[in-house]
Amino acid sequence: MKTTKEINQWGVRSVSFWMTMLIALGIIFVGAKFLISPNLGATDFGIPFSNTNDIAFGRIKGIRDIFSGLVLLPLLILKMRRAAAWVFTAAIIIPATDCLIVFATNGPLDIQHLLIHGLTAVYMMITSFLLFRN
């Protein structure tokens, strides 16, 4: 017979664990890209730099993205599902706002970048639901 702790154990066997890990590692990768190649990072984001002075802002975004991913890793490693759920849910504001910024800057015809940011926000909403539901 399994104990309550064993039944409620969350970790590598959970889909929500890996969905969260994917976002954490993905945003670390995006941040590293902004640090290593800020121009490429900005272009991939959907708003290329207009001059070389903007490169510093790309690096600022890069380190913040890396932090956003790193903050989730200890919660995943320590199997702190509820804490991960709250942090992850709060982080939905980032891709949602990114989508709005791309829309305000490029307009509705930049479907590719709007979808990247918008679908990331939707993916994170689904993951948050699963994190709280487990």
Side-chain angles (χ1 to χ4, degrees), residues 61-79:
K61 180 187 177 344
I63 197 64
R64 282 161 176 71
D65 283 352
I66 290 170
F67 171 80
S68 294
L70 289 177
V71 77
L72 286 168
L73 292 182
L75 302 175
L76 290 167
I77 291 166
L78 296 172
K79 299 178 183 176

Side-chain angles (χ1 to χ4, degrees), residues 39-53:
N39 286 317
L40 178 61
T43 299
D44 289 350
F45 180 87
I47 305 173
F49 296 139
S50 58
N51 65 59
T52 56
N53 292 332

Side-chain angles (χ1 to χ4, degrees), residues 16-118:
S16 63
F17 177 92
W18 291 108
M19 290 176 77
T20 306
M21 181 69 80
L22 178 66
I23 288 291
L25 295 177
I27 200 61
I28 290 169
F29 172 77
V30 168
K33 188 185 334 178
F34 266 97
L35 287 178
I36 295 165
S37 181
N39 286 317
L40 178 61
T43 299
D44 289 350
F45 180 87
I47 305 173
F49 296 139
S50 58
N51 65 59
T52 56
N53 292 332
D54 294 342
I55 289 174
F57 290 104
R59 291 195 171 113
I60 290 167
K61 180 187 177 344
I63 197 64
R64 282 161 176 71
D65 283 352
I66 290 170
F67 171 80
S68 294
L70 289 177
V71 77
L72 286 168
L73 292 182
L75 302 175
L76 290 167
I77 291 166
L78 296 172
K79 299 178 183 176
M80 299 174 69
R81 183 185 55 80
R82 296 289 288 179
W86 284 110
V87 170
F88 199 81
T89 301
I92 294 170
I93 193 171
I94 297 169
T97 304
D98 288 348
C99 187
L100 293 173
I101 291 168
V102 168
F103 181 80
T105 304
N106 299 344
L109 297 179
D110 188 2
I111 300 298
Q112 174 188 353
H113 295 107
L114 292 171
L115 282 174
I116 289 169
H117 299 295

